[in-house]
Short mmCIF file of all heavy atoms in Angstrom, two decimals:
data_model
loop_
_atom_site.label_atom_id
_atom_site.label_comp_id
_atom_site.label_asym_id
_atom_site.label_seq_id
_atom_site.Cartn_x
_atom_site.Cartn_y
_atom_site.Cartn_z
N ALA A 357 -15.86 1.88 14.71
CA ALA A 357 -16.64 1.51 13.53
C ALA A 357 -17.36 2.72 12.95
O ALA A 357 -17.43 2.89 11.73
CB ALA A 357 -17.63 0.41 13.89
N SER A 358 -17.90 3.56 13.82
CA SER A 358 -18.63 4.75 13.35
C SER A 358 -17.71 5.71 12.63
O SER A 358 -18.06 6.27 11.59
CB SER A 358 -19.30 5.45 14.54
OG SER A 358 -20.26 4.61 15.14
N VAL A 359 -16.51 5.91 13.17
CA VAL A 359 -15.55 6.79 12.51
C VAL A 359 -15.16 6.22 11.15
O VAL A 359 -15.12 6.93 10.14
CB VAL A 359 -14.29 6.98 13.39
CG1 VAL A 359 -13.19 7.70 12.61
CG2 VAL A 359 -14.64 7.76 14.65
N ALA A 360 -14.90 4.91 11.11
CA ALA A 360 -14.47 4.27 9.86
C ALA A 360 -15.53 4.39 8.77
O ALA A 360 -15.21 4.50 7.59
CB ALA A 360 -14.13 2.81 10.11
N GLU A 361 -16.80 4.36 9.16
CA GLU A 361 -17.89 4.39 8.18
C GLU A 361 -18.34 5.79 7.82
O GLU A 361 -19.17 5.98 6.93
CB GLU A 361 -19.10 3.63 8.74
CG GLU A 361 -18.83 2.14 8.95
CD GLU A 361 -19.81 1.51 9.91
OE1 GLU A 361 -20.78 2.21 10.30
OE2 GLU A 361 -19.62 0.34 10.27
N SER A 362 -17.79 6.78 8.49
CA SER A 362 -18.26 8.15 8.30
C SER A 362 -17.61 8.82 7.10
O SER A 362 -16.62 8.33 6.54
CB SER A 362 -17.96 8.98 9.56
OG SER A 362 -16.56 9.25 9.64
N GLY A 363 -18.15 9.96 6.73
CA GLY A 363 -17.57 10.75 5.66
C GLY A 363 -16.28 11.42 6.06
O GLY A 363 -15.59 12.01 5.23
N PHE A 364 -15.93 11.35 7.36
CA PHE A 364 -14.68 11.95 7.84
C PHE A 364 -13.51 10.97 7.73
O PHE A 364 -12.39 11.31 8.08
CB PHE A 364 -14.83 12.38 9.30
CG PHE A 364 -15.91 13.40 9.51
CD1 PHE A 364 -17.17 13.01 9.94
CD2 PHE A 364 -15.68 14.74 9.26
CE1 PHE A 364 -18.18 13.95 10.12
CE2 PHE A 364 -16.68 15.68 9.44
CZ PHE A 364 -17.94 15.28 9.86
N SER A 365 -13.79 9.77 7.28
CA SER A 365 -12.78 8.72 7.23
C SER A 365 -11.98 8.80 5.93
O SER A 365 -12.20 9.65 5.08
CB SER A 365 -13.44 7.36 7.40
OG SER A 365 -12.47 6.35 7.53
N SER A 366 -11.04 7.86 5.80
CA SER A 366 -10.23 7.70 4.60
C SER A 366 -9.81 6.24 4.55
O SER A 366 -10.05 5.49 5.50
CB SER A 366 -9.00 8.60 4.65
OG SER A 366 -8.13 8.18 5.71
N VAL A 367 -9.17 5.83 3.47
CA VAL A 367 -8.68 4.45 3.40
C VAL A 367 -7.71 4.18 4.54
O VAL A 367 -7.77 3.14 5.21
CB VAL A 367 -8.00 4.19 2.04
CG1 VAL A 367 -7.35 2.82 2.02
CG2 VAL A 367 -9.01 4.31 0.91
N VAL A 368 -6.81 5.13 4.81
CA VAL A 368 -5.84 4.98 5.90
C VAL A 368 -6.55 4.88 7.24
O VAL A 368 -6.25 4.01 8.07
CB VAL A 368 -4.86 6.17 5.90
CG1 VAL A 368 -4.10 6.25 7.21
CG2 VAL A 368 -3.89 6.05 4.74
N LEU A 369 -7.51 5.77 7.47
CA LEU A 369 -8.20 5.78 8.75
C LEU A 369 -9.01 4.51 8.97
O LEU A 369 -9.05 3.95 10.07
CB LEU A 369 -9.12 7.01 8.82
CG LEU A 369 -9.09 7.81 10.13
CD1 LEU A 369 -7.68 8.29 10.40
CD2 LEU A 369 -10.02 9.00 10.05
N ARG A 370 -9.67 4.04 7.90
CA ARG A 370 -10.44 2.80 8.03
C ARG A 370 -9.54 1.62 8.37
O ARG A 370 -9.87 0.78 9.21
CB ARG A 370 -11.21 2.52 6.73
CG ARG A 370 -12.46 3.36 6.56
CD ARG A 370 -13.30 2.87 5.39
NE ARG A 370 -12.67 3.12 4.11
CZ ARG A 370 -12.81 4.26 3.43
NH1 ARG A 370 -13.55 5.24 3.90
NH2 ARG A 370 -12.21 4.42 2.26
N PHE A 371 -8.39 1.55 7.70
CA PHE A 371 -7.47 0.44 7.92
C PHE A 371 -6.94 0.47 9.35
O PHE A 371 -6.93 -0.55 10.05
CB PHE A 371 -6.33 0.52 6.91
CG PHE A 371 -5.38 -0.65 6.97
CD1 PHE A 371 -5.76 -1.88 6.46
CD2 PHE A 371 -4.13 -0.52 7.54
CE1 PHE A 371 -4.90 -2.96 6.50
CE2 PHE A 371 -3.26 -1.59 7.59
CZ PHE A 371 -3.64 -2.82 7.07
N ARG A 372 -6.52 1.65 9.80
CA ARG A 372 -5.97 1.76 11.16
C ARG A 372 -7.05 1.59 12.22
O ARG A 372 -6.81 1.04 13.29
CB ARG A 372 -5.27 3.11 11.32
CG ARG A 372 -3.75 3.01 11.33
CD ARG A 372 -3.19 2.46 10.06
NE ARG A 372 -1.86 1.89 10.23
CZ ARG A 372 -1.07 1.53 9.23
NH1 ARG A 372 -1.46 1.72 8.00
NH2 ARG A 372 0.09 0.98 9.45
N ALA A 373 -8.26 2.05 11.94
CA ALA A 373 -9.36 1.88 12.90
C ALA A 373 -9.63 0.41 13.13
O ALA A 373 -9.92 -0.02 14.26
CB ALA A 373 -10.61 2.59 12.39
N GLU A 374 -9.52 -0.39 12.08
CA GLU A 374 -9.75 -1.83 12.22
C GLU A 374 -8.64 -2.47 13.06
O GLU A 374 -8.91 -3.34 13.90
CB GLU A 374 -9.84 -2.48 10.85
CG GLU A 374 -10.18 -3.96 10.88
CD GLU A 374 -11.55 -4.26 11.44
OE1 GLU A 374 -12.35 -3.31 11.64
OE2 GLU A 374 -11.82 -5.44 11.70
N LEU A 375 -7.40 -2.07 12.85
CA LEU A 375 -6.31 -2.59 13.68
C LEU A 375 -6.52 -2.20 15.14
O LEU A 375 -6.30 -3.01 16.05
CB LEU A 375 -4.96 -2.06 13.19
CG LEU A 375 -4.51 -2.49 11.79
CD1 LEU A 375 -3.12 -1.92 11.49
CD2 LEU A 375 -4.49 -4.00 11.65
N MET A 376 -6.95 -0.96 15.36
CA MET A 376 -7.20 -0.51 16.74
C MET A 376 -8.37 -1.26 17.36
O MET A 376 -8.34 -1.63 18.54
CB MET A 376 -7.48 1.00 16.74
CG MET A 376 -6.29 1.87 16.39
SD MET A 376 -6.76 3.62 16.30
CE MET A 376 -5.17 4.40 15.97
N ARG A 377 -9.40 -1.51 16.57
CA ARG A 377 -10.58 -2.20 17.10
C ARG A 377 -10.21 -3.60 17.56
O ARG A 377 -10.69 -4.08 18.60
CB ARG A 377 -11.67 -2.27 16.03
CG ARG A 377 -13.03 -2.71 16.56
CD ARG A 377 -14.04 -2.83 15.43
NE ARG A 377 -13.73 -3.94 14.54
CZ ARG A 377 -13.98 -5.23 14.82
NH1 ARG A 377 -14.54 -5.55 15.95
NH2 ARG A 377 -13.67 -6.16 13.95
#
Side-chain angles (χ1 to χ4, degrees):
S358 297
V359 171
E361 295 161 7
S362 73
F364 300 97
S365 188
S366 66
V367 173
V368 165
L369 225 58
R370 282 190 291 273
F371 185 75
R372 254 62 203 191
E374 184 64 10
L375 295 182
M376 292 176 177
R377 192 183 68 78

